[in-house]
Amino acid sequence: MMVKDNNDARAAWLFLAPVLVLVTLFTLLPVLYALYASVHKIDIVSGRSTWAGLANAQYLLDDPKFWAACRNTIRYVAIVVPAQTLLALALACVLNGKVRFKRGFVTLLFLPTLTSSAAMTMIFMWLFNNNGIVSQAIHNHFGITIRFLSDPAWALPIIMLMNVFSTVPNFMVVYLAGLQQIPQQLYEAMTLDGAGPVSRHWHISVPHLMPITFYVATMGLIGCFQVFDQAFILSRGDGGPENSTLTFTLLIYHFAFRTYNTMGLACALAVVLAIVILLATLLLKRLMPAQGVDA
């Protein structure tokens, strides 16, 4: 019996070995190197590194671009996460009812999720540039000229709108799957008691979907803190106009690949971002219960 258990253990480790090697090479070692580099000044050309201690962190605190990225990212998270969560839930509730051509609607609504971020960003830039359809329509109907992509007040909201448009369908499908698991007898009982659709939704759907809401909010929170490609493409990599689209990840890119001898700063900012995401996730867990109700 002992020999069989040993053979099973060897077989299990043999099957796990390729995955463990990949995780070690591409996850664990980079994380450890980032922690090491965050307290060093690194010359990526010569490979030399010198101890910097908290100097990298102090540089970030004194850098106005860091605070601009902080403001933009927090604003982005505070608006996009609630918006995409509520819209996904609302669409799922609508499609969960008696809607004709439900599968067709779900397929059409899910198409933006299948589109690459780069393609989606180019489409929105085409829509909102100075000669775009949206800009021209506003100018023709209201006589107002809005330069969405070059105005600091509008550039980040365009990225927010783009992110909500592309992520809501994915979360909507998750909510829709959760709604279909709720026993219909609960809705029927409340209907007999005279409850309307809003009351039924608030007292049945929302509590039962709490674990899914926690998942959607958590994934949205992490994704929004790591937004990069849309801001990079729209601003052509510089975080403009006037740093209005500069995010944490875009600033990490600047330190790592656009400024000489600042890889340590990039790693320090990456560590700061990881800590911020961890604290925000823990706060979300305290504010939002991850357990639903028993059916």
Side-chain angles (χ1 to χ4, degrees):
M1 189 68 179
M2 184 65 70
V3 175
K4 183 179 179 180
D5 291 341
N6 290 335
N7 289 336
D8 291 342
R10 292 194 195 97
W13 281 109
L14 185 63
F15 282 110
L16 286 172
V19 176
L20 293 176
V21 170
L22 292 176
V23 169
T24 301
L25 289 177
F26 297 105
T27 301
L28 182 59
L29 291 181
V31 168
L32 294 177
Y33 180 76
L35 292 173
Y36 166 83
S38 65
V39 292
H40 286 79
K41 183 178 180 180
I42 297 177
D43 188 333
I44 59 175
V45 176
S46 64
R48 290 192 302 247
S49 63
T50 56
W51 172 258
L54 296 178
N56 289 333
Q58 185 62 47
Y59 180 91
L60 292 176
L61 294 176
D62 295 336
D63 188 357
K65 285 191 173 183
F66 169 78
W67 294 110
C70 185
R71 288 191 301 270
N72 293 336
T73 305
I74 292 176
R75 179 186 171 199
Y76 187 91
V77 171
I79 294 176
V80 172
V81 174
Q84 66 187 10
T85 303
L86 294 175
L87 283 174
L89 178 58
L91 286 173
C93 290
V94 171
L95 291 175
N96 192 51
K98 296 180 180 179
V99 179
R100 297 182 63 185
F101 311 112
K102 181 187 298 185
R103 292 185 179 180
F105 280 122
V106 173
T107 302
L108 289 175
L109 290 172
F110 196 73
L111 286 178
T113 302
L114 304 177
T115 307
S116 70
S117 271
M120 186 67 67
T121 305
M122 297 302 294
I123 291 172
F124 269 74
M125 290 178 67
W126 173 70
L127 289 173
F128 289 95
N129 64 30
N130 295 340
N131 298 317
I133 295 175
V134 176
S135 302
Q136 289 298 316
I138 293 175
H139 178 74
N140 294 335
H141 288 84
F142 303 101
I144 301 174
T145 300
I146 302 178
R147 302 183 181 277
F148 289 101
L149 304 184
S150 58
D151 189 341
W154 285 101
L156 188 62
I158 294 301
I159 299 177
M160 294 179 185
L161 178 64
M162 188 190 324
N163 188 286
V164 171
F165 180 77
S166 61
T167 56
V168 162
N170 184 37
F171 294 141
M172 175 199 69
V173 172
V174 177
Y175 270 123
L176 191 58
L179 284 169
Q180 293 174 354
Q181 299 301 315
I182 300 176
Q184 292 300 312
Q185 294 87 340
L186 298 176
Y187 295 103
E188 295 171 359
M190 285 202 69
T191 302
L192 293 175
D193 290 337
V198 176
S199 180
R200 293 197 300 268
H201 168 73
W202 182 255
H203 291 94
I204 297 177
S205 302
V206 172
H208 281 79
L209 291 175
M210 192 56 68
I212 295 178
T213 301
F214 177 74
Y215 165 80
V216 169
T218 302
M219 297 306 296
L221 184 78
I222 296 172
C224 288
F225 269 115
Q226 296 177 337
V227 61
F228 170 77
D229 43 0
Q230 298 99 329
F232 179 86
I233 297 172
L234 189 142
S235 67
R236 294 176 175 84
D238 61 6
E242 299 179 15
N243 294 329
S244 61
T245 60
L246 187 65
T247 62
F248 274 132
T249 50
L250 188 54
L251 187 57
I252 291 172
Y253 167 81
H254 284 183
F255 284 142
F257 302 110
R258 298 189 67 174
T259 308
Y260 178 72
N261 207 21
T262 54
M263 182 61 73
L265 288 174
C267 292
L269 184 53
V271 172
V272 170
L273 178 58
I275 294 173
V276 169
I277 292 176
L278 176 61
L279 294 177
T281 305
L282 293 175
L283 178 62
L284 181 65
K285 186 176 181 181
R286 289 187 63 87
L287 296 176
M288 180 183 297
Q291 292 82 22
V293 298
D294 295 330

